[in-house]
Each structure stands twice: as structure tokens, then as C-alpha cells.
Amino acid sequence: MNTKLRTRSMGLAALALTASMGLAACGSESDTDSASEPTTSESSSETPMEESESPMESEEPMAADAPFGPGCAGVPTSGEGSVEGMADDPVATAASNNPLLKTLVAAVTEADLVDTLNSAENLTVFAPTDDAFAAIPKKDLNALLKDKEMLTTVLTHHVVGESLTPENLAGEHETLAGDMLTVEGEGEDFTIGEASVVCGNVQTANATVYVVDQVLMPQM
């Protein structure tokens, strides 16, 4: 009897041990499965991040063609005097809608150059701001505005008879006055003598405009 009971007890213990090992194996398999799940979710979460970067890259070419310089902050953001509005009109008309260029427009009108500038093609205009004209002593400015021949020479000294992009702006260029302008610089930093471009690469229907902070005086 004792021998049989001992044998039966050993058999039950072996069964219990086998069952516990089976449960442990199942638990380790489920742990392995659950541990592998985060890897799948992490790899899937990386895909949207990679896709979200591509639209930013497509915006760079647009920025390259835009006007540049601190003076562009003074250009209206909407209406005929805005960058978009100026692109629709020939250069003299476009300048007349820009609040930074009122004195220049008055001078162009006084010199009877409106039609000349509006009807030409592929011009580059260095346009002095109102502040640039205000820096000239008032007596001298009034005398210039009254001398049509001299005024015409000064104004056409600001105009080049070809379209200059920022890439080919630096160098020597012949003006409509028949003399030369020397532009130095690169990228978004250009100077003409003591004058600096403060808002460059503004497009009009027939010209590229570079707004400058000083009036460019020809050599007499």
C-alpha cells in the first residue's frame, strides 16, 4: 500500500511540474510577442515624420525668386502697391503705387519719362526711396527738379537697358544716360558706390526694380 501511494504521489508531482512548465512557456511566448509589438509601432510612427518633411523642401524654390532686403517691410502687403500688384503694371505706373517712391515718381513725371519707362522692355531700375531724396539739401533738390535736362540725366543714370537678376547684378552696366554703374556684392547684399540695395528683385511688367537708399549721381 505505501509503495503504491508513493508511486501515485510521484506521478501527480510529475504531472504538476509538466503543467507548470507548459504555463511558463506560454507566458514567455506572450512576453516575447508583446515585446516585439513596440518595434512595429515605432517603425510605423516614423513614416509620417519622413513624409511631413517633403512639403518644406518644395517651398525653397519659391523663396529664391522673392524680393529681398529689410526695405521690403515697407512695401504694402496687398493692393496695387504690393509686390504682387506691381508685377501687373509697367515700371513707372508700378512705382506710382508704391508709398516708398513718391518723390521718384514726381521726378520721373517732371522729366517726362513716364511713357519712355513704361514702353521699354527688360529694364533694370535702381529706385531711390523718398528718404534718399530727402537726404539731398532741399535747395539742391528743388534746383534739380527745375532743370529738366539735368534731371533726365540723373534719372536715366538709374536705369539699365537689360533685365538683371540677383545672380548677374554685380558688375559694370551701361545706363540709359550712356555712362556706367558699378554694382558690387552677392546673394542679398549689394551696393552701388555708397548706396545699398534695401529691397531687391521686385518685378514689374517690364522691369526688375532694386530699391536703393541713396540717389545715384552721375559723374559730370
Side-chain angles (χ1 to χ4, degrees):
M1 287 290 293
N2 291 339
T3 302
K4 290 181 179 180
L5 287 172
R6 188 180 300 111
T7 303
R8 174 182 263 180
S9 298
M10 291 176 63
L12 291 173
L15 287 172
L17 178 62
T18 302
S20 64
M21 290 177 65
L23 290 172
C26 292
S28 65
E29 288 176 0
S30 63
D31 290 343
T32 303
D33 292 341
S34 63
S36 64
E37 288 177 0
T39 304
T40 304
S41 63
E42 287 176 4
S43 62
S44 63
S45 66
E46 291 177 359
T47 304
M49 292 177 64
E50 294 176 355
E51 293 177 355
S52 65
E53 293 176 357
S54 58
M56 294 177 64
E57 295 177 358
S58 64
E59 293 176 3
E60 291 180 0
M62 294 179 64
D65 295 333
F68 61 83
C72 294
V75 177
T77 56
S78 62
E80 294 181 341
S82 66
V83 170
E84 292 79 7
M86 290 180 69
D88 295 332
D89 295 318
V91 63
T93 302
S96 70
N97 295 320
N98 191 307
L100 300 177
L101 306 174
K102 292 180 180 179
T103 308
L104 174 63
V105 171
V108 168
T109 303
E110 192 68 28
D112 292 329
L113 290 174
V114 173
D115 291 339
T116 300
L117 295 176
N118 277 347
S119 61
E121 295 182 0
N122 299 323
L123 299 177
T124 296
V125 177
F126 296 94
T129 63
D130 290 346
D131 288 342
F133 279 102
I136 300 175
K138 189 172 182 179
K139 179 181 178 181
D140 295 338
L141 180 59
N142 289 337
L144 177 62
L145 293 173
K146 292 177 180 179
D147 187 338
K148 185 175 180 179
E149 183 178 355
M150 179 62 68
L151 182 61
T152 300
T153 300
V154 170
L155 293 175
T156 54
H157 178 68
H158 290 74
V159 185
V160 174
E162 61 178 312
S163 180
L164 300 174
T165 66
E167 288 73 22
N168 61 10
L169 185 61
E172 290 191 354
H173 309 288
E174 185 175 358
T175 73
L176 295 189
D179 58 3
M180 304 298 291
L181 273 182
T182 301
V183 182
E184 297 179 338
E186 60 181 352
E188 298 183 357
D189 185 12
F190 294 97
T191 58
I192 308 96
E194 298 297 320
S196 298
V197 173
V198 295
C199 184
N201 201 33
V202 178
Q203 301 300 316
T204 71
N206 67 329
T208 301
V209 176
Y210 294 88
V211 180
V212 293
D213 61 0
Q214 292 187 33
V215 177
L216 310 177
M217 300 302 293
Q219 296 293 329
M220 300 299 182

